[in-house]
Amino acid sequence: MVIRRLVVAGISLAVTLGAAVLPAAAASLADPPPTPPSRTISAADRVGQPRAVRQAHPAAGRTALSDAPDIDVAKVQAHLTELNSIATRNGGTRKSSGQGYRDSVAYVKGKLQAAGYTVTEQPCTSGCAFGAGPNLIAEWPQGDATKVYMFGSHLDSVGAGPGINDNGSGSAALLETALTLAEQHPAMAARVRFGWWTDEEQGLNGSDFYVNSLSSAERAKIKAYYNFDMIASTNGGYFINHIGSAAAQPMKAYWDSLGLQPEENTEGAGRSDDYSFEQAGIATSGYAMGASARKTAAQAAKWGGTANRAYDSCYHQSCDTTGNINATGLNRSVDGIASTLWQLAVTSSTPANDFSLTTSPTAGSVDPGASATSTVSTATTSGSAQTVTLSASGAPAGVTVSFSPSSVTSGAGSTMTVATTSATAPGTYPLTVTGTGSVTHTTTYTLTVKGAGGCTGQQLLTNGGFESGTTPWTGDTGTIGAHTGQSAHGGSRFAWLGGYGSSATDTLSQSVTVPAGCRKATLTYWLHIDTDETGSVAYDTFKVKVGSTTLTTLTNTDAAAGYTQRTLDLSPYIGQRITLTFTATEDASLQSSFVLDDAALQTG
C-alpha cells in the first residue's frame, strides 16, 4: 500500500456508493521513496473531487455463496515463497524499477499463459517512476465481453524490502484464484479481468496509467473493480473498502458468513489502486487487513491479536518476508475473493444461446510464400442461432489470417485462409481461432511452414532509433525518451539504461523473425558509456543477448567520450524467431550510464 502523497486542505473527498458515504482519504503519512532526481519522470498531481461512481449491479442468483471453490491457501503461500526468493536474488526488493519486479511479472505471466489466459504486458509510458516495469493484465476469454468484473493488486514492493504482505499477499491470492478459475473452467456469465499493477508504491502510477488509457466505452464495460492490498497482516483486522456499497456486498456476505464482523477500511482510503478506478467513476471495493495503524482494544476483543499494536509491524520494512504472513487471514481473504468472483461472473446454467466451433482440417503445411485453407464450422447447440464473429491470434511475423465471411450465423461455415510470405521463418505455429457471440469459444489450427524460405535484404528492427514512442520495445520502456543529461546519436530520442548509482537493472527487448534463406544477419547499434567508476575493475555491465545467450558484455571500463558503433554477427539465428535484449546492470554505488541509439538488424 502506498503512503499517501498529498493533503488537500479544506476539501472533503467523499465518494458515494449506493447509500454509503465514505470518509475523506487519509492525510499523508510520509514521503514515498525517492527516485534518482536527474532521471525522475514526474506524474501530474491528481488530487481533486472524484467524479460520481457508477453503481455496481451484482448479478444475484447466478451462483450461491457455497458454489465457489475453496482456494488452497498452501498454493497461495507457495507463490509467496517464490516472490520472496525473487526478492532475495535481487537485493532484497521487488521495487517497480528493479529486476525483482520484472522477475515477478515473468513468474505470474508464465503461470497465467500456461493456464490459457489472454495476457498482456502494458508498459507505463507516462506518469511512472523512471525505469518502472509494466502492468500485467490477464483476461479469461469466456463470458459476456460487455460486462467485465476486474480484480487487481499491486505487484511491486518498496525498495526497503521484499513486500510479501505488501503486496505479495494480494498478488499471490489473485494468481491462485485465476488459476483455479482456469482449472475448473465454469460457464461464465461475464468476463473476469485481473490486473497486477506497477509503481503503486510511488503513487498509484501503474493503475492510474491503465485507467487513463481506457476509452470511455472500455471503462463502461467494467462493472466493478476489486482491490486487494495487504490481506495477510499478522496483527490484522478484517476491512472492506466501501463496505456499505452495492459493489462490496458479495465480499461482505462471505466474511459475514464466517462471523468476522468486518469494518470499513478507513486507513486505506485513497491509498491503493482502487482510487484510480474511483476517480474514473468505476464502482470499487476490496479486502485489506491493515498497515501501520494500530489495532483498537475493541478490535482485539472481536478479532484477537494485540491492542495498540500496528496491524503490520513490518510495514514497508525488510522484515516483510514470508514470516510476516497471517495464514488464517490470507485463507479467509482468498476464499472471499473466489466467492465474490463466482457470484458475479459464473453461471451454473447452460447459456440460453450457445454454439460450437471447429476447424477442418485442423492443421496445414505450406512452403514459404504459399497459403493454406481450412473450413471453420459452427453449430447451434442450445437456444437460437446467433451471429458469431471470427478472429485468429498467435500468427508469427509474415503470416496473415483472414475469414470469408468474417462473421456467420451459428450453423454456417467460413473459409479461413492462412497466408505466408517468402520471408516467413520455417517452423510449426499453433493458431487460436476464436468465435465470439453471446459467449466465446476457441479452437486450434496448427500451421507448419516448410523449406528454407527466401531472403530479401531488409532492416528487421522496428523503431531502432527510438523516435516513434516505445513500440514495439518491451521491458523498461521508461528508459526511452529525450532525457536531460544525455544526448541522442541521431534525432532527439534514445534509451538511457543505468545511470542510477545504486543497484539496478534496465532491459529493453524486441522480438523479430530472421528470414530463412539469408546468408547474413548483422546487428549494429550505437552506444555511449559514461561512468563515475575509476580504475580497471568492471563493476557495471551492458549485455546484448539473443534469448538466454549473451553475445557480448561491455562494462564501465569501456567508457569513452561520445558514441561508438558496435557490430554483432547474428547469422547463426537465420531462420529463427528471436528475442533481442539489451541489459544494463549497476552495482550499489557510482553510476554508469549506457546510452543506446540507432540499433539495426540488417539481413542480406
Side-chain angles (χ1 to χ4, degrees):
M1 181 167 66
V2 71
I3 295 176
R4 189 67 190 276
R5 296 161 295 161
L6 298 163
V7 181
V8 186
I11 299 178
S12 175
L13 301 183
V15 179
T16 303
L17 280 168
V21 177
L22 304 176
S28 177
L29 301 180
D31 292 330
T35 53
S38 64
R39 305 293 300 280
T40 301
I41 301 174
S42 299
D45 293 343
R46 291 184 288 273
V47 172
Q49 293 286 0
R51 288 171 280 186
V53 177
R54 291 198 301 273
Q55 185 79 5
H57 298 285
R62 282 181 181 152
T63 61
L65 195 68
S66 60
D67 290 339
D70 180 3
I71 305 295
D72 187 347
V73 72
K75 292 182 178 179
V76 181
Q77 290 174 297
H79 298 316
L80 292 177
T81 297
E82 179 57 28
L83 292 176
N84 196 86
S85 297
I86 287 171
T88 300
R89 295 193 296 268
N90 290 281
T93 181
R94 298 183 302 104
K95 62 183 180 181
S96 63
S97 60
Q99 189 63 38
Y101 178 78
R102 288 185 287 274
D103 288 352
S104 300
V105 170
Y107 173 74
V108 175
K109 181 179 180 180
K111 295 285 187 182
L112 294 166
Q113 286 181 320
Y117 278 84
T118 302
V119 186
T120 303
E121 288 187 34
Q122 182 194 41
C124 183
T125 56
S126 65
C128 284
F130 180 82
N135 291 324
L136 187 68
I137 311 298
E139 184 160 323
W140 186 239
Q142 305 292 333
D144 185 349
T146 67
K147 298 177 182 178
V148 177
Y149 291 97
M150 194 160 186
F151 297 75
S153 63
H154 72 88
L155 187 55
D156 64 319
S157 74
V158 294
I164 299 306
N165 184 38
D166 183 15
N167 183 38
S169 61
S171 296
L174 287 191
L175 175 58
E176 191 55 37
T177 301
L179 297 179
T180 302
L181 176 66
E183 180 182 2
Q184 296 210 353
H185 208 291
M188 303 298 294
R191 287 292 175 97
V192 176
R193 185 180 302 160
F194 297 91
W196 286 267
W197 309 118
T198 187
D199 216 35
E200 189 268 1
E201 296 291 5
Q202 296 295 327
L204 320 182
N205 296 324
S207 58
D208 195 57
F209 178 82
Y210 173 80
V211 173
N212 289 333
S213 72
L214 297 172
S215 67
S216 58
E218 289 300 315
R219 289 184 187 181
K221 293 177 182 178
I222 303 175
K223 304 310 175 186
Y225 170 79
Y226 294 89
N227 195 68
F228 305 96
D229 193 350
M230 303 184 68
I231 58 172
S233 305
T234 52
N235 192 43
Y238 294 90
F239 303 108
I240 298 178
N241 304 341
H242 308 329
I243 194 169
S245 69
Q249 293 318 295
M251 310 205 76
K252 184 175 183 297
Y254 183 78
W255 274 2
D256 283 348
S257 75
L258 303 180
L260 294 176
Q261 304 175 60
E263 298 178 4
E264 175 63 43
N265 181 20
T266 55
E267 181 190 18
R271 291 177 57 189
S272 194
D273 294 296
D274 53 315
Y275 189 65
S276 300
F277 288 80
E278 287 178 21
Q279 292 292 89
I282 297 170
T284 67
S285 187
Y287 285 148
M289 292 191 69
S292 59
R294 296 180 179 271
K295 179 174 279 188
T296 67
Q299 291 171 338
K302 177 168 61 171
W303 295 322
T306 305
N308 199 35
R309 179 185 171 194
Y311 299 121
D312 181 356
S313 59
C314 286
Y315 175 59
H316 283 189
Q317 298 178 51
S318 61
C319 58
D320 187 10
T321 66
T322 50
N324 188 46
I325 291 295
N326 176 344
T328 298
L330 181 65
N331 191 31
R332 290 167 172 172
S333 296
V334 72
D335 285 342
I337 295 170
S339 177
T340 299
L341 187 157
W342 253 253
Q343 288 184 72
L344 294 175
V346 173
T347 178
S348 58
S349 60
T350 302
N353 300 319
D354 202 359
F355 65 93
S356 63
L357 182 75
T358 59
T359 57
S360 180
T362 59
S365 181
V366 298
D367 291 316
S371 299
T373 61
S374 178
T375 298
V376 181
S377 299
T378 64
T380 302
T381 57
S382 65
S384 303
Q386 60 183 292
T387 300
V388 178
T389 301
L390 301 173
S391 60
S393 58
V399 173
T400 58
V401 183
S402 59
F403 298 88
S404 180
S406 59
S407 62
V408 298
T409 301
S410 54
S414 174
T415 298
M416 177 177 70
T417 301
V418 183
T420 69
T421 68
S422 60
T424 303
T428 299
Y429 307 101
L431 311 181
T432 299
V433 181
T434 301
T436 304
S438 60
V439 294
T440 300
H441 292 290
T442 62
T443 188
T444 300
Y445 177 86
T446 302
L447 171 69
T448 299
V449 181
K450 303 181 294 183
C455 179
T456 300
Q458 57 185 306
Q459 201 287 105
L460 301 178
L461 287 182
T462 301
N463 193 24
F466 308 109
E467 300 298 324
S468 303
T470 61
T471 303
W473 295 99
T474 60
D476 297 299
T477 54
T479 60
I480 298 172
H483 306 293
T484 302
Q486 296 287 350
S487 59
H489 173 260
S492 61
R493 291 162 58 86
F494 49 91
W496 184 353
L497 284 70
Y500 299 98
S502 60
S503 296
T505 301
D506 285 330
T507 65
L508 280 178
S509 297
Q510 186 174 146
S511 296
V512 297
T513 299
V514 185
C518 295
R519 294 179 297 104
K520 192 173 183 63
T522 303
L523 173 69
T524 58
Y525 59 95
W526 291 85
L527 186 68
H528 169 53
I529 305 174
D530 71 50
T531 185
D532 291 338
E533 304 281 6
T534 58
S536 58
V537 178
Y539 296 105
D540 308 317
T541 63
F542 177 86
K543 296 183 179 182
V544 182
K545 294 183 177 182
V546 170
S548 60
T549 301
T550 299
L551 303 181
T552 190
T553 300
L554 300 167
T555 76
N556 51 277
T557 64
D558 297 300
Y563 280 88
T564 301
Q565 187 177 40
R566 310 279 178 170
T567 302
L568 290 170
D569 182 13
L570 269 58
S571 300
Y573 300 95
I574 288 172
Q576 299 182 36
R577 178 75 172 171
I578 64 171
T579 298
L580 177 68
T581 302
F582 300 98
T583 301
T585 303
E586 289 184 276
D587 70 353
S589 65
L590 298 178
Q591 74 86 26
S592 291
S593 294
F594 300 92
V595 188
L596 176 69
D597 203 359
D598 294 331
L601 177 51
Q602 182 68 42
T603 61

